[in-house]
Amino acid sequence: MRRPAVRSLRGRLLVGTVALLVVGLLAADISAYLALRRFLSERVDNTIELVLDRGLARARLAGQVMPGAGVEQLVPANAYVALYDSEGQLVLARLPLRHGDTRPPTVPPISALPAHPVTIGDDPETALRVRRELLPPEQALPVEINGQVHSVTGLVVGVSLADNAATLRRLVLVQAVAGLLIVVLGVALARLVLNNGLRPLRAVADTAREIGRGNLRQRVPVGDPRTEIGTVATALNEAFDQRERSEALTRTFVADASHELRTPLSAVHGWADLYLNDGITDWDGVDEAMRRIRTETTRMGALVEQLLTLARLDAHQPLARDEVDLGRVCADVLDSLRVTAAHHRLTLAVDERVTVTGDPAALRQVVQNLVGNAVRHTPPGPPVEVRVHRDDGEDAVLVVHDEGPGLDAEGLAHAFDRFWRADPGRAAPGGTGLGLAIVRDIVGAHGGTVALDSAPGQGLTVTVRLPATTA
């Protein structure tokens, strides 16, 4: 079933297309109408000029008295002609042929007409386009009318505009019929084009509904990626891929968290059952049970805190933006760890004051996770080295190096995976497999990078680069 949004979009596009087509046709028709009307008007004026020029030329060439009938023959049948003598009296007038029952309008006297062509009458069917011509007395034309010779010094010639009106009517009729046909064909063609063009959008909507129903592997057909719809389909597929990866990561995360919490919970439950079932008969046993329960609950608390940290990082919650002295943070962390890691040699080398902009608590957790991880996996004796320096004045660099057993290529590839641990020989008690994952996410949220360098038996070097503030 088609969605209203798709129909609305198609309707708006169709209305817009038809509106543009109608506006274009109207503009073209009006332009053609005005151009033709101007052309016809100019042709009438040229006809009047030609009649006057030819009539006067023939009359002068004759050199004798011209009968009135001869003057009438000099003008077309649809023309008006009037002759005036030197006293301004009308001596001859001939109207154009009649058009039905209509008659041409009354032509004013020659004295009331201007020297340029003018239109007489409001009805296009009977209107006349007339022009006067005045001759000097020495060039008067002798014309015989009813046996009397008159000296003609004024001529008025006019042409009927009925043919122009009929031509313009036919043009309007042709434009109306042709415009209607073009609009009908345009609407049909626009519907066809829009249906074909919007078919990919319907496929996008159908695919999105399928994915919403749980079919996460369904993808939008891309077609030509160079088109707008192809670009949208590609972006949607990338978003769907990201959603599938995110949901897969969430399922894995929940499963791993449940697995990690099951072990300490089982231990706590086991010691509690042992006590309730009278399996512990002396106070020393009770103390041992409480000590074990406290250890496991502490482990669960640390795991829950790390899970909450990862959840906040996954949600991209904003971090504090303060100026942090990275060397001072490292010194504070090492001072705290020297109490719990008395059998390890922790060294700190700070070349200069290195500051970064970030969240002090989050950056402290980065240092604590890296140094704590090194302490857990390094036997007593070899040092754990921490170095802080500025790289070319642009990046703040934190390096944590231990002399532990190191990691092989597979270990380096999975070191940042959540809940991943190295082999049992390297994994010390207390680890959750989340430390390096938290480090990577915090450093990434600060616009930095973290890299590992290790080989079996050669220890592990962790290098963190963060944008340094201006010195």
Side-chain angles (χ1 to χ4, degrees):
M1 181 179 64
R2 297 177 180 177
R3 291 293 184 183
V6 177
R7 291 201 301 269
S8 177
L9 176 61
R10 185 173 60 250
R12 291 196 298 268
L13 291 175
L14 183 60
V15 170
T17 302
V18 174
L20 288 176
L21 181 61
V22 171
V23 170
L25 285 175
L26 286 177
D29 290 347
I30 292 174
S31 300
Y33 180 86
L34 295 176
L36 180 60
R37 188 177 68 175
R38 181 177 179 181
F39 169 76
L40 294 175
S41 178
E42 291 177 351
R43 190 177 66 173
V44 168
D45 291 344
N46 292 335
T47 301
I48 294 174
E49 295 291 337
L50 182 61
V51 169
L52 285 172
D53 292 343
R54 287 183 178 180
L56 292 175
R58 289 185 181 182
R60 292 192 178 98
L61 288 175
Q64 57 185 0
V65 178
M66 179 178 290
V71 175
E72 295 182 9
Q73 292 176 357
L74 294 177
V75 297
N78 66 334
Y80 166 84
V81 62
L83 302 180
Y84 294 83
D85 60 14
S86 58
E87 296 179 358
Q89 298 295 322
L90 179 65
V91 298
L92 175 66
R94 194 202 72 177
L95 295 175
L97 295 177
R98 295 179 60 183
H99 295 271
D101 295 332
T102 60
R103 297 292 293 173
T106 301
V107 180
I110 190 171
S111 58
L113 295 175
H116 57 81
V118 294
T119 301
I120 299 174
D122 297 328
D123 186 1
E125 296 294 335
T126 60
L128 292 176
R129 184 78 169 171
V130 299
R131 179 183 177 277
R132 78 173 188 184
E133 180 71 22
L134 298 179
L135 302 176
E138 63 272 11
Q139 296 181 5
L141 300 177
V143 178
E144 181 184 356
I145 301 174
N146 298 327
Q148 185 179 358
V149 178
H150 298 272
S151 296
V152 175
T153 59
L155 295 88
V156 176
V157 175
V159 175
S160 173
L161 298 180
D163 291 340
N164 290 7
T167 302
L168 292 175
R169 282 198 308 273
R170 286 193 294 269
L171 174 64
V172 172
L173 179 60
V174 171
Q175 287 178 335
V177 175
L180 181 60
L181 292 177
I182 291 175
V183 170
V184 172
L185 292 176
V187 170
L189 182 60
R191 288 176 59 89
L192 179 61
V193 172
L194 289 176
N195 286 336
N196 291 333
L198 295 178
R199 186 177 295 114
L201 284 182
R202 290 195 292 271
V204 169
D206 294 339
T207 303
R209 285 193 293 271
E210 287 295 324
I211 293 176
R213 296 188 184 104
N215 187 7
L216 299 182
R217 296 192 176 277
Q218 188 76 16
R219 290 296 178 268
V220 177
V222 174
D224 188 354
R226 296 172 296 180
T227 63
E228 290 79 1
I229 295 179
T231 302
V232 171
T234 301
L236 286 176
N237 286 337
E238 292 176 355
F240 293 149
D241 291 340
Q242 180 62 31
R243 174 186 172 182
E244 184 179 7
R245 288 192 296 269
S246 177
E247 293 193 1
L249 181 62
T250 301
R251 289 192 294 270
T252 303
F253 183 76
V254 171
D256 292 339
S258 301
H259 176 75
E260 293 296 327
L261 288 172
R262 185 181 297 113
T263 300
L265 283 174
S266 298
V268 170
H269 189 270
W271 283 103
D273 281 348
L274 184 63
Y275 173 77
L276 293 175
N277 293 326
D278 298 329
I280 301 176
T281 57
D282 55 7
W283 287 109
D284 292 337
V286 172
D287 291 342
E288 177 65 14
M290 293 299 103
R291 186 183 66 79
R292 294 293 182 88
I293 290 175
R294 179 180 179 182
T295 299
E296 297 300 331
T297 54
T298 301
R299 180 182 174 187
M300 282 191 296
L303 178 60
V304 170
E305 286 296 326
Q306 290 181 328
L307 292 175
L308 291 175
T309 300
L310 285 174
R312 287 192 293 268
L313 292 172
D314 289 341
H316 301 288
Q317 295 183 1
L319 299 174
R321 308 297 294 177
D322 299 326
E323 185 174 308
V324 181
D325 186 342
L326 194 57
R328 171 56 58 188
V329 171
C330 293
D332 292 343
V333 171
L334 293 184
D335 288 342
S336 299
L337 288 177
R338 285 191 179 99
V339 178
T340 58
H343 299 290
H344 290 80
R345 287 193 300 130
L346 306 179
T347 64
L348 174 62
V350 181
D351 296 340
E352 58 180 318
R353 187 173 185 268
V354 180
T355 59
V356 298
T357 301
D359 190 317
L363 294 175
R364 179 183 178 88
Q365 187 171 7
V366 168
V367 178
Q368 189 166 352
N369 285 2
L370 292 178
V371 178
N373 189 64
V375 168
R376 279 195 302 271
H377 298 96
T378 302
V384 174
E385 302 174 358
V386 180
R387 298 191 300 274
V388 178
H389 64 277
R390 190 185 295 269
D391 181 18
D392 298 332
E394 297 182 358
D395 292 336
V397 181
L398 165 66
V399 179
V400 178
H401 174 73
D402 65 58
E403 297 293 339
L407 292 173
D408 56 14
E410 182 180 359
L412 291 175
H414 295 282
F416 293 109
D417 293 347
R418 298 178 181 183
F419 298 108
W420 182 87
R421 294 190 183 91
D423 55 26
R426 190 180 189 278
T432 61
L434 295 175
L436 287 180
I438 293 176
V439 168
R440 178 197 58 191
D441 291 349
I442 292 177
V443 171
H446 284 79
T449 61
V450 57
L452 304 180
D453 183 19
S454 180
Q458 298 182 8
L460 176 66
T461 301
V462 184
T463 304
V464 175
R465 293 181 179 272
L466 295 169
T469 56
T470 303

